[in-house]
Amino acid sequence: MLSSIFAAAFAFGTSVVAQSSSSVVCVAGQCLQGSSNTSLGATLSASGISTEVLLLPGQYTSTTNPELLHELLTSSSAKLSPSAGFGNSSTGSSVALPLNIALQPGMAIYPQAFYSGQSSYSGLPTSPVGNTTIPFTASSFALSGNVWAVVSAGSNSRVILWNSVPDVSQLPASASGSLSLLNLQSSTCSPACSGNGICSASGTCQCQSGFTGSSCESCSSGFFGPECQACPSGCTSCDDGISGTGRCLVPVVSNLPSSCNCINGECGANGQCTCINGWTSASNGTQCAACAAGFFLDTNGNCEICQLGCQQCADGTGDCITCASGFTQDGNDRTLCDAIPQTTSNGTTCPDGSYGAGSACAICSPLCTTCTGPNSNNCVICGSGTYKFNGSCVTTSSGGVCSGSNMIANNDKHECDTCGPKCTTCQISNFNVASTVNQAQCTGCLPGFVLSQGTCVTSCPSGTFLSPQDNLTCTACSSSCTSCAGSATTCLTCANNLLASNGQCVNSCPSNTFSSSGACISCHPDCATCSGASFNQCTSCNKALPVLTSGRCLATCSQNQYFDTTSSTCQSCDSSCASCSGAGPNSCLACSSSSQVLRGGTCTSANCTSGTSVVPSLGACLSELVLVSPSGTSSGALPSGLSTPTTTTTTQQLQWWEILLMALGCAFIFVAFLYCWRRRARKQRAKDTAAFASAKALHKQSWRWRLARFGERLFGHNRSPQPESEEIALWKLRAAEEARHHKEMEKLIGAHEYSYSGSSRSPSPLPSLHPYKRRGSHDYSDANRLSAGSMYSQATGQVRSGPEPRQPVKSNPLTSRFSITTLGSSAPKKPNVLKRQLTPKPPTSAEAYATSVRQSPEPDSPYLITPSNTGGSHNPFRK
């Protein structure tokens, strides 16, 4: 069916009458005027432009050369008329740029070389072609991108074509002759499809009916075998799967008890359940789920009838709970109810076979052994050959079945009893008064159960099979089979370590099968031989899928390889070939270089004329597709713009992300510039500092000192403080003592200016302490000194007429530890540690520089004039 449809696509597919001449044929970047019978591509025209062009496959934009083509493409009235297979735009549709002219997924054939003549196109098939070959006649054909075709050509039964062929006569000798199509698929599927699927243009595998899986490698549920056939009708499930046998596992059962909320009964057409004997509806509403009155549930799940004379008995044991009228509980056996003896009116006990009728005993019915009246329905115990059923004594058939029922005669209870669990009918072979009820054999079962050795079970046990005649009885297999199906001799597994193959017991599995669990299982249909049932467990391949790769059988090698039938492996093509049919440079099917064309299976230099080049994907020069008239014989003037390059200026608005990138780039450049400028400034400062220090020779550290400083900066450690020299410590101590002495003298003297010029010691080289006001220090301004106005003047606002009283002077003025002239007699003389002679050290270059800078008094110094050391004290209270 599929092959006939596919063949019809070639025979009756859409045909387009080739143009007898096309004034201009174009490919992106070049156009050529001349006569052409090429029907490949699409015709472009526009109102206002007299020239129409044939566009060959390729992409066309608003900047495509030459100018004529540019004008047509950008014209608002441009119309496109595609040829067969190029229907990506409908006939007469407007042009949207960029414009892609490409063959739709499939194959187009042409009766003449260089894609000339009436063309026929066929898309990719929707299902595998199978083993059918489709002959076709063509002098050239075009394949769409990512599509390969398998053809038989002459003596070569399989040639894989990946590229368009402009001239079939230029194929190698091994690929020449009559052509037949074997397969046509897309190459976009990964992994590749199995032989039961076909790769579509979307990159997915389209499966044949019954197959499933991403590669169409397995059967859908309910399908079996290499061709994934549907399971037999009348089966709920069968042995399905691609290696399945299709045998019915669960037959279709109608009127299942569960379909009408029933357990021990049969569902009718009205949805009501008809219970088997002994069962009734349970209290929860489930039908046929509890034992009826007069029956009890035994250990086998069956409702047995209670003993004669018992109206209600207990489940499990059968002990009678309530005896019927005329019966009493047996003292020894609690399952029994004994009949009350029949007596006359005067108290005489009647013998068996009679009953009390007033003052005398009367004879029972012939059907009764004991009775309570003259009729058969008055029997207490039925006579020989009859059994109690619904209060009457009935006879039985030869199989022990009570008349008018499906119940079986029970000689122990003298009643008609039920058959057994899930049994609808039963019988006892050769029934007689010595037969027991456990000899009963089921002859019918509830729907969903099968009959095995006289009992109803859910499935046939091992060594038996369900008889296909009645789908009810389990029949034993033959002695050579340990399991079978369909018949006693159709073995699924065999005895004596033999292997089951197609129902027969064999010593070894035949070809195309493998051994598993005592049976020979068929290989996947892709494989010729295999080690397992999967499609990737092949050990050899068939002719339709000859390439064995990683356990899979594939249709083709890669594009630049060919299949070597001698070694059954893929071999690389010659470097000049894009695809090939065999080894060497003379077996090319297409050329790898864009400057070469195929000539007799060999790739040679194209030597295109008229300044043209090889058209991509077509394998032919543009000058071969267009017949250019000789110079001076042209029928008309050349169209303007045929060879003029396009000169267009396009302004494209920036996208938001482009603006964002530009802003981020500018910010990055600014930050980088700022970083470099600051780094350069720091280096310049360091350089100036180093130059200053070098000029003054302030530091001439060795390489060890520099290495230690680098380590401190690298690891973040601070340089440990160097211990002060003894000379510095003594200078600091002297400065502190002098500061304290000056403060006390100011407090004492107050009104008089204390001068430091009389100090016997030279000025300290340390910074002065006087310019800084300490916390809690007193303000000794003129308003608070002794020379200020008296308290009288301050209180009255008038100048005092008399002299100001003088402040008392202490007889023992404060002594100084630093001046010999101010020592008092009462002050103990202590050794002065500061008068210790220090060994002078020659000043360093830095110290000499610092001394030269500090020769002038500092602006913050409290001395307006430089103090001079006179060797005496300037204490104003000393006379």
Side-chain angles (χ1 to χ4, degrees), residues 199-383:
C199 184
S200 66
S202 61
T204 58
C205 294
Q206 294 182 345
C207 302
Q208 198 171 354
S209 177
F211 289 87
T212 188
S214 60
S215 299
C216 305
E217 72 277 8
S218 58
C219 290
S220 302
S221 178
F223 294 82
F224 73 95
E227 297 180 359
C228 288
Q229 307 170 38
C231 288
S233 60
C235 285
T236 302
S237 66
C238 71
D239 181 19
D240 57 8
I242 206 158
S243 299
T245 60
R247 64 185 176 90
C248 189
L249 300 178
V250 179
V252 174
V253 179
S254 60
N255 300 327
L256 280 173
S258 58
S259 63
C260 60
N261 193 28
C262 182
I263 295 180
N264 293 284
E266 294 184 68
C267 294
N270 57 357
Q272 294 297 317
C273 183
T274 303
C275 300
I276 58 177
N277 296 316
W279 292 91
T280 190
S281 298
S283 58
N284 62 0
T286 305
Q287 300 183 74
C288 308
C291 290
F295 293 84
F296 72 96
L297 187 67
D298 64 11
T299 56
N300 295 324
N302 183 44
C303 285
E304 291 185 31
I305 196 167
C306 296
Q307 289 286 351
L308 188 67
C310 183
Q311 287 185 337
Q312 183 180 3
C313 50
D315 289 339
T317 60
D319 293 345
C320 190
I321 299 174
T322 304
C323 292
S325 177
F327 290 84
T328 59
Q329 186 82 44
D330 187 270
N332 297 322
D333 189 351
R334 296 189 59 82
T335 63
L336 300 177
C337 287
D338 297 330
I340 298 175
Q342 291 291 313
T343 60
T344 61
S345 59
N346 57 11
T348 303
T349 301
C350 294
D352 290 343
S354 64
Y355 64 96
S359 59
C361 293
I363 299 174
C364 294
S365 169
L367 298 178
C368 302
T369 300
T370 60
C371 64
T372 59
N375 300 322
S376 61
N377 56 357
N378 296 130
C379 294
V380 175
I381 298 175
C382 294

Side-chain angles (χ1 to χ4, degrees), residues 729-747:
L730 292 176
W731 277 115
K732 285 185 178 181
L733 181 60
R734 177 178 177 179
E737 290 291 342
E738 284 185 351
R740 186 178 63 80
H741 172 68
H742 296 329
K743 185 175 182 181
E744 290 176 353
M745 291 305 295
E746 285 188 352
K747 289 181 182 179

Side-chain angles (χ1 to χ4, degrees), residues 85 118 129 145 156 235 290 341 353 375 489 505 531 539 572 587-588 590 606 853 855 878:
Q118 293 182 349
V129 178
N156 197 333
C235 285
N375 300 322
T489 57
C505 293
S531 59
T539 55
S572 297
S587 299
C588 296
V853 172
Q855 287 179 357
R878 185 174 178 82

Side-chain angles (χ1 to χ4, degrees), residues 557-709:
C557 301
S558 60
Q559 182 173 353
N560 60 348
Q561 292 180 323
Y562 70 96
F563 182 72
D564 184 9
T565 56
T566 304
S567 61
S568 298
T569 58
C570 292
Q571 302 293 331
S572 297
C573 296
D574 187 78
S575 59
S576 63
C577 305
S579 60
C580 62
S581 60
N586 56 351
S587 299
C588 296
L589 300 174
C591 298
S592 58
S593 175
S594 60
S595 61
Q596 291 182 324
V597 292
L598 192 66
R599 295 289 184 265
T602 303
C603 290
T604 61
S605 179
N607 295 325
C608 299
T609 60
S610 301
T612 62
S613 60
V614 177
V615 180
S617 75
L618 296 185
C621 296
L622 181 59
S623 58
E624 292 178 309
L625 303 179
V626 180
L627 180 61
V628 179
S629 300
S631 177
T633 63
S634 176
S635 60
L638 289 175
S640 61
L642 187 61
S643 59
T644 306
T646 303
T647 55
T648 58
T649 302
T650 58
T651 302
Q652 184 177 3
Q653 187 178 2
L654 294 178
Q655 300 293 329
W656 66 268
W657 57 269
E658 295 176 323
I659 298 174
L660 178 61
L661 287 178
M662 292 173 64
L664 292 177
C666 293
F668 174 76
I669 294 173
F670 174 74
V671 171
F673 172 76
L674 185 61
Y675 171 77
C676 294
W677 180 77
R678 294 194 60 186
R679 183 176 180 185
R680 182 179 179 279
R682 286 196 298 269
K683 287 185 176 181
Q684 187 62 34
R685 286 196 298 271
K687 183 177 179 181
D688 294 343
T689 303
F692 173 78
S694 176
K696 301 301 181 181
L698 295 181
H699 52 79
K700 294 183 178 179
Q701 292 82 3
S702 64
W703 65 272
R704 292 184 179 87
W705 185 92
R706 289 192 294 271
L707 181 61
R709 300 294 79 76

Side-chain angles (χ1 to χ4, degrees), residues 290-554:
C291 290
F295 293 84
F296 72 96
L297 187 67
D298 64 11
T299 56
N300 295 324
N302 183 44
C303 285
E304 291 185 31
I305 196 167
C306 296
Q307 289 286 351
L308 188 67
C310 183
Q311 287 185 337
Q312 183 180 3
C313 50
D315 289 339
T317 60
D319 293 345
C320 190
I321 299 174
T322 304
C323 292
S325 177
F327 290 84
T328 59
Q329 186 82 44
D330 187 270
N332 297 322
D333 189 351
R334 296 189 59 82
T335 63
L336 300 177
C337 287
D338 297 330
I340 298 175
Q342 291 291 313
T343 60
T344 61
S345 59
N346 57 11
T348 303
T349 301
C350 294
D352 290 343
S354 64
Y355 64 96
S359 59
C361 293
I363 299 174
C364 294
S365 169
L367 298 178
C368 302
T369 300
T370 60
C371 64
T372 59
N375 300 322
S376 61
N377 56 357
N378 296 130
C379 294
V380 175
I381 298 175
C382 294
S384 176
T386 61
Y387 300 87
K388 195 73 174 285
F389 177 70
N390 289 336
S392 300
C393 293
V394 296
T395 59
T396 66
S397 67
S398 60
V401 180
C402 294
S403 300
S405 73
N406 291 328
M407 301 181 73
I408 194 73
N410 190 329
N411 287 323
D412 294 332
K413 297 180 180 179
H414 303 284
E415 296 178 284
C416 293
D417 207 347
T418 56
C419 287
K422 311 300 180 183
C423 283
T424 56
T425 58
C426 60
Q427 65 178 7
I428 298 175
S429 299
N430 302 319
F431 178 77
N432 53 51
V433 295
S435 299
T436 58
V437 72
N438 58 3
Q439 293 177 322
Q441 299 287 312
C442 291
T443 57
C445 299
L446 288 176
F449 292 85
V450 293
L451 195 60
S452 175
Q453 297 180 351
T455 59
C456 293
V457 295
T458 55
S459 60
C460 290
S462 177
T464 63
F465 69 98
L466 185 64
S467 173
Q469 281 76 24
D470 57 7
N471 284 329
L472 175 66
T473 308
C474 294
T475 308
C477 298
S478 68
S479 58
S480 61
C481 305
T482 55
S483 62
C484 59
S487 69
T489 57
T490 304
C491 298
L492 299 178
T493 55
C494 299
N496 303 321
N497 295 325
L498 296 178
L499 299 173
S501 175
N502 292 328
Q504 303 298 318
C505 293
V506 296
N507 292 318
S508 61
C509 289
S511 178
N512 199 32
T513 62
F514 67 98
S515 174
S516 176
S517 302
C520 296
I521 309 299
S522 297
C523 292
H524 192 277
D526 285 2
C527 309
T529 59
C530 62
S531 59
S534 176
F535 76 132
N536 58 2
Q537 292 180 297
C538 302
T539 55
S540 64
C541 301
N542 52 46
K543 292 182 178 180
L545 303 170
V547 181
L548 181 63
T549 302
S550 301
R552 284 203 58 185
C553 291
L554 304 178

